[in-house]
Amino acid sequence: MKFSSKVQRCGLSPIRKFHPYAEAAKAAGKKVYHLNIGQPDIATPAACFQAVREFAQPVLEYAPSPGIPSLIQAVQGYYDRLGTHLEEGDILITTGGSEALQMVLNCILDEGDEVIVPEPFYPNYSTFVYAAGGEIRPLPTTAEEGYFYADRKRIEALINERTRAILITNPGNPTGVVLTPEQSRMIAEVARDHGLFLIGDEVYREFVYGGEDLASIITYEDMPENIVVIDSVSKRFSACGARIGALISRNKELMNHALKFCQARLSVATLDQVAAAALYTVPADYFAATREEYKRRRDTVVSKLAEIPGVLCKCPEGAFYLMAKLPVDNADDFQMFLLREFDDNGETVMYAPGEPFYGTPGRGVDEIRIAYVINEADLSRAIELLGKGIAAYNAKKK
Amino acid sequence: MKFSSKVQRCGLSPIRKFHPYAEAAKAAGKKVYHLNIGQPDIATPAACFQAVREFAQPVLEYAPSPGIPSLIQAVQGYYDRLGTHLEEGDILITTGGSEALQMVLNCILDEGDEVIVPEPFYPNYSTFVYAAGGEIRPLPTTAEEGYFYADRKRIEALINERTRAILITNPGNPTGVVLTPEQSRMIAEVARDHGLFLIGDEVYREFVYGGEDLASIITYEDMPENIVVIDSVSKRFSACGARIGALISRNKELMNHALKFCQARLSVATLDQVAAAALYTVPADYFAATREEYKRRRDTVVSKLAEIPGVLCKCPEGAFYLMAKLPVDNADDFQMFLLREFDDNGETVMYAPGEPFYGTPGRGVDEIRIAYVINEADLSRAIELLGKGIAAYNAKKK
């Protein structure tokens, strides 16, 4: 049987690659600290479950294809508080941020069209871009520069006649990089000046630790044609399992095209939309408490990493991830070593190896992504294990 | 801004096209009977809502990408009762049957590859096939033959080197056609003999009215490479808003490719999977009662249609739709007439015009699709209105 060339370019999740070895390590009695998965441990606000319990309609019907009115209004209210007003038609509710991104890519990419993406980037972007027939043009960064990418010249050097969009994750996954308002505006102007879409994956918007105001490229009301935002309740409200996202843009033609895909898949899950609408009623102190918790975790990870000789990690400003460059030859081999050969008092650690976050072949082999979504004590111990593991691995290699 | 050629080929939902005119008619005080929408009015089993109310985890986490184990096991149990055993890996839980179909098409279609689909067909198939870069090769049928399509010669005549799959909806939407076991097996053998996938959209499986056993092409265990089933809880349990479907196949390579897409979109909504698993526990008499209700409705619609001079409609055997050929010049114009010019005691009727269900240009202009998902009394009155409307429309045309 023949399979499509696009699916053959896609790969299984690199983040899941070591799952069988982790299971084997656990079966052998080892405790494994997980720094590899971005599933927050923060409790989902009770309003979510309460709304679902109160659902009283006898038939679980299709919702309207663009989303239920109460959720669209809740999203409007949220952006009003951010200082920018969206019309109802500027918002399409989607099955997670993932579906929003798939939709916009299918709306704008033909075979061979290019999307500029700063690397390292979220690996699933590759699957979505390939499935739409497109190509990722990576915008290189370095650990030494703290994964800085907001450079007009470097971005413009990558634009050609096949370029259709710039896709940024801000705050960044996997880097934690947060753009300054000036950097963000500059990238939007590059997009505008070259007739490109700027797609901002802003699902970590609340997770900034330097006292910054919440930022969004959708506030650039002077460039309605170019700006597209991918949004989600997953991280904002620790409700990843709701699969409620949104595609947001003032580009009417784009939204009209995207609506075709919304109608074709009929609707987004009704109960989850009701739950998501309720989530938008949580008071602002919910975010403040969550932010403080993540900030403490970040500080713990960064300070503990600094104690390990040879590790390079500039303190990230947002999201709940960071990239670190390790003094090892290969992060994949090192992960295998940690799971199969290493332990300290019966404990070891998992991270996401860095290479799959890069589009440029050969890059990221000595880097890792850490998700700091577990409690501080466990994080501290996990980084300690990482340090001991590096020493043991390099001793063995000599 | 440039948009992709594929999205430009796709259209907005033809079923929604008359929505603004219906709203205007209602605003003017007219009562509109809806025969145009496939949203069942049957109550969703209480087990669905009960399971959701009992969900007690503090964090609404991502579910595993292939689906939660309890739901996969529930689907396995359901197919065991149908007489065929599926391995866990033969089932991927999807966001509705729609996502399952999108995934399989993306796995098998490159630019210009073809899928044979009997016409009239569910219009969203076009969007899914176009988005995957493919083409629909319609297999023509006629109202006079009751939309019969199970003819080996006619099918084989459409197969060429770009053909990748045959896609059938059985029981049929919009036609209500149900294949006999021999016809179904014959089509599977055509697929096997030509190295094609046979994709069976079987979401209406329970809705057969001739006393037939429940049937599925997945029972053809001797052709594991060719058979793919699109499944869903939407119609089976009147739970359209749950958006829980499944992609089912014993083709290991296909399922491994599809898993890439499952992983890229992370997971299907957690609460809805829990609810769907509970739905599979409803006793068999639930289906018997629902089936009897729909059968009575079908009989009402068919007998009332038979009273209208010039209407052609062979009694359909399944699903809850039928196609009828009307003695009017154009079903679109007639719909506009019904909404804007016609009423009988302040009431009128809506259907889905037939043309968008066809892939061959110019076909279906005098046909309509009727969904019999409202109560018998309303159905009876709606068809009466249709008859009076036809008389009034044709009188006006003279």
Side-chain angles (χ1 to χ4, degrees):
Chain A
M1 308 298 290
K2 273 181 98 165
F3 293 93
S4 70
S5 52
K6 55 184 172 284
V7 80
Q8 295 187 56
R9 295 182 69 189
C10 299
L12 287 166
S13 169
I15 296 168
R16 307 254 162 196
K17 182 167 135 183
F18 292 96
H19 180 73
Y21 303 101
E23 290 301 302
K26 288 174 191 173
K30 261 188 221 182
K31 176 170 178 178
V32 180
Y33 288 83
H34 286 275
L35 302 175
N36 56 317
I37 296 172
Q39 166 62 57
D41 62 338
I42 305 287
T44 311
C48 169
F49 302 112
Q50 190 60 29
V52 164
R53 278 195 291 269
E54 287 171 2
F55 186 87
Q57 293 169 32
V59 185
L60 188 55
E61 293 188 352
Y62 290 120
S65 296
I68 63 173
S70 64
L71 178 54
I72 292 172
Q73 287 155 19
V75 173
Q76 284 178 296
Y78 168 90
Y79 281 93
D80 281 339
R81 292 190 290 280
L82 240 67
T84 193
H85 184 69
L86 296 166
E87 301 298 325
E88 189 187 323
D90 300 338
I91 300 164
L92 289 169
I93 304 300
T94 56
T95 302
S98 302
E99 192 191 44
L101 183 56
Q102 289 177 68
M103 282 185 183
V104 64
L105 294 174
N106 272 311
C107 284
I108 67 173
L109 297 182
D110 275 320
E111 289 283 313
D113 285 343
E114 296 183 4
V115 181
I116 295 172
V117 189
E119 71 176 356
F121 55 79
Y122 179 57
N124 292 327
Y125 288 167
S126 300
T127 302
F128 298 144
V129 170
Y130 293 163
E135 303 290 331
I136 286 183
R137 172 74 56 159
L139 169 57
T141 67
T142 65
E144 288 71 15
E145 285 192 311
Y147 303 101
F148 164 80
Y149 64 88
D151 182 300
R152 181 183 265 269
K153 278 193 191 140
R154 292 190 213 174
I155 298 169
E156 288 189 321
L158 300 175
I159 296 172
N160 62 45
E161 72 283 358
R162 300 308 303 265
T163 310
R164 293 287 171 269
I166 302 168
L167 167 59
I168 58 173
T169 323
N170 183 41
N173 171 13
T175 62
V177 167
V178 175
L179 295 174
T180 66
E182 296 72 25
Q183 290 171 337
S184 172
R185 177 78 199 177
M186 177 276 291
I187 296 172
E189 288 172 358
V190 171
R192 181 198 59 196
D193 295 348
H194 293 269
L196 307 177
F197 290 100
L198 175 61
I199 306 168
D201 179 347
E202 301 183 346
V203 301
Y204 300 99
R205 184 183 297 125
E206 273 70 18
F207 303 95
V208 288
Y209 308 119
E212 307 94 329
D213 288 334
L214 296 196
S216 174
I217 57 172
I218 201 74
T219 59
Y220 306 150
E221 298 179 11
D222 58 323
M223 38 185 102
E225 299 302 304
N226 308 91
I227 302 294
V228 182
V229 164
I230 307 300
D231 204 354
S232 168
V233 304
S234 292
K235 315 292 172 163
R236 179 170 301 145
F237 300 110
S238 194
C240 298
R243 313 308 302 125
I244 297 294
L247 173 61
I248 300 176
S249 178
R250 293 187 179 89
N251 184 316
K252 303 294 179 202
E253 195 178 354
L254 174 68
M255 297 306 271
N256 200 49
H257 285 312
L259 182 59
K260 298 174 187 176
F261 294 132
C262 288
Q263 289 182 341
R265 57 68 161 139
L266 304 173
S267 69
V268 174
T270 304
L271 286 171
D272 299 275
Q273 292 195 71
V274 170
L279 282 170
Y280 276 96
T281 66
V282 302
D285 59 359
Y286 169 78
F287 299 110
T290 306
R291 192 179 292 125
E292 280 309 304
E293 174 65 25
Y294 279 117
K295 187 179 179 182
R296 281 194 298 272
R297 292 177 180 186
R298 177 200 64 171
D299 294 344
T300 298
V301 172
V302 171
S303 67
K304 292 289 292 183
L305 281 173
E307 294 172 11
I308 306 174
V311 169
L312 178 59
C313 172
K314 300 217 170 171
C315 185
E317 304 96 349
F320 37 68
Y321 306 100
L322 57 79
M323 290 289 287
K325 193 167 181 169
L326 304 188
V328 298
D329 56 350
N330 183 299
D332 262 39
D333 292 347
F334 177 45
Q335 180 66 81
M336 287 295 270
F337 169 82
L338 287 172
L339 289 171
R340 303 215 292 187
E341 299 178 47
F342 172 82
D343 80 271
D344 181 62
N345 283 333
E347 298 182 333
T348 192
V349 61
M350 275 183 92
Y351 49 75
E355 198 172 0
F357 294 86
Y358 283 85
T360 306
R363 293 214 54 205
V365 289
D366 58 352
E367 295 176 47
I368 66 171
R369 186 195 72 169
I370 289 172
Y372 45 95
V373 292
I374 57 174
N375 70 65
E376 277 185 90
D378 283 354
L379 280 173
S380 184
R381 172 63 177 153
I383 305 298
E384 181 182 34
L385 287 166
L386 188 71
K388 290 189 176 188
I390 290 170
Y393 177 77
N394 285 332
K396 184 196 150 205
K397 284 259 164 178
K398 267 173 195 155
Chain B
M1 309 296 290
K2 274 181 95 167
F3 293 94
S4 69
S5 52
K6 55 183 172 280
V7 82
Q8 295 187 56
R9 296 182 69 188
C10 298
L12 287 167
S13 169
I15 297 169
R16 309 252 161 197
K17 183 166 136 186
F18 293 95
H19 180 72
Y21 304 100
E23 289 302 303
K26 288 174 193 173
K30 260 188 222 180
K31 176 168 177 179
V32 180
Y33 288 83
H34 286 276
L35 302 176
N36 56 318
I37 295 173
Q39 167 63 57
D41 62 340
I42 304 289
T44 312
C48 169
F49 302 111
Q50 189 59 31
V52 164
R53 278 195 291 271
E54 289 171 0
F55 186 85
Q57 293 168 33
V59 186
L60 188 55
E61 295 189 351
Y62 289 121
S65 296
I68 62 172
S70 64
L71 178 54
I72 294 173
Q73 286 155 19
V75 174
Q76 285 178 294
Y78 168 90
Y79 281 92
D80 281 339
R81 291 190 290 280
L82 241 66
T84 193
H85 183 69
L86 295 166
E87 301 297 325
E88 188 187 323
D90 300 338
I91 301 164
L92 289 168
I93 303 301
T94 56
T95 302
S98 302
E99 191 189 46
L101 184 57
Q102 288 178 70
M103 282 186 183
V104 65
L105 294 174
N106 273 310
C107 284
I108 67 173
L109 296 182
D110 275 321
E111 288 283 310
D113 286 343
E114 296 182 4
V115 181
I116 295 171
V117 189
E119 72 176 354
F121 54 80
Y122 180 57
N124 292 326
Y125 288 166
S126 300
T127 302
F128 299 144
V129 169
Y130 293 164
E135 303 290 333
I136 286 184
R137 171 73 57 160
L139 169 58
T141 66
T142 64
E144 288 71 14
E145 285 193 312
Y147 304 101
F148 164 80
Y149 64 87
D151 182 301
R152 180 183 266 268
K153 278 194 190 139
R154 293 190 213 173
I155 298 170
E156 288 189 323
L158 300 175
I159 297 172
N160 63 45
E161 72 284 359
R162 299 309 300 267
T163 311
R164 294 285 170 270
I166 302 167
L167 167 58
I168 57 174
T169 323
N170 183 40
N173 171 11
T175 61
V177 167
V178 175
L179 295 173
T180 66
E182 295 71 27
Q183 289 170 337
S184 171
R185 177 76 199 180
M186 177 276 292
I187 296 172
E189 287 173 359
V190 171
R192 181 198 60 196
D193 295 348
H194 293 270
L196 307 177
F197 290 100
L198 175 62
I199 306 169
D201 180 346
E202 300 182 348
V203 302
Y204 300 99
R205 184 183 298 126
E206 272 71 17
F207 303 94
V208 287
Y209 308 120
E212 308 94 328
D213 288 335
L214 296 195
S216 174
I217 57 172
I218 201 72
T219 58
Y220 306 150
E221 297 179 13
D222 58 323
M223 38 183 101
E225 298 303 303
N226 308 89
I227 302 294
V228 182
V229 164
I230 307 300
D231 204 355
S232 168
V233 304
S234 292
K235 314 292 172 165
R236 180 170 301 146
F237 300 110
S238 193
C240 298
R243 312 309 301 126
I244 297 295
L247 174 60
I248 300 176
S249 177
R250 293 189 179 88
N251 184 317
K252 303 294 178 202
E253 196 177 354
L254 174 69
M255 296 306 271
N256 199 48
H257 285 312
L259 182 59
K260 299 174 187 175
F261 294 131
C262 288
Q263 290 183 341
R265 58 69 161 137
L266 303 171
S267 69
V268 173
T270 304
L271 286 171
D272 300 274
Q273 292 194 70
V274 170
L279 282 170
Y280 276 97
T281 65
V282 302
D285 59 2
Y286 169 78
F287 298 109
T290 307
R291 191 178 296 125
E292 278 311 304
E293 174 64 25
Y294 279 117
K295 186 178 180 182
R296 278 192 300 271
R297 293 176 179 186
R298 177 200 64 173
D299 293 343
T300 297
V301 173
V302 171
S303 66
K304 292 289 290 182
L305 282 173
E307 294 172 11
I308 307 174
V311 169
L312 178 60
C313 172
K314 299 218 172 172
C315 184
E317 304 96 348
F320 37 68
Y321 307 101
L322 57 80
M323 291 289 287
K325 193 167 182 171
L326 304 188
V328 299
D329 56 350
N330 184 298
D332 262 39
D333 292 346
F334 177 45
Q335 179 68 80
M336 287 296 268
F337 170 82
L338 287 172
L339 289 172
R340 305 216 288 187
E341 299 177 48
F342 172 82
D343 79 272
D344 181 62
N345 284 333
E347 299 183 331
T348 191
V349 61
M350 277 183 89
Y351 48 75
E355 198 173 0
F357 294 86
Y358 282 85
T360 305
R363 293 215 54 204
V365 289
D366 57 354
E367 296 176 46
I368 66 171
R369 186 195 73 170
I370 289 173
Y372 44 96
V373 293
I374 57 176
N375 70 64
E376 276 183 273
D378 284 354
L379 280 173
S380 184
R381 172 64 176 152
I383 304 298
E384 181 183 33
L385 287 164
L386 188 72
K388 292 189 175 189
I390 290 170
Y393 177 76
N394 285 332
K396 184 196 150 206
K397 284 261 163 176
K398 269 178 196 153

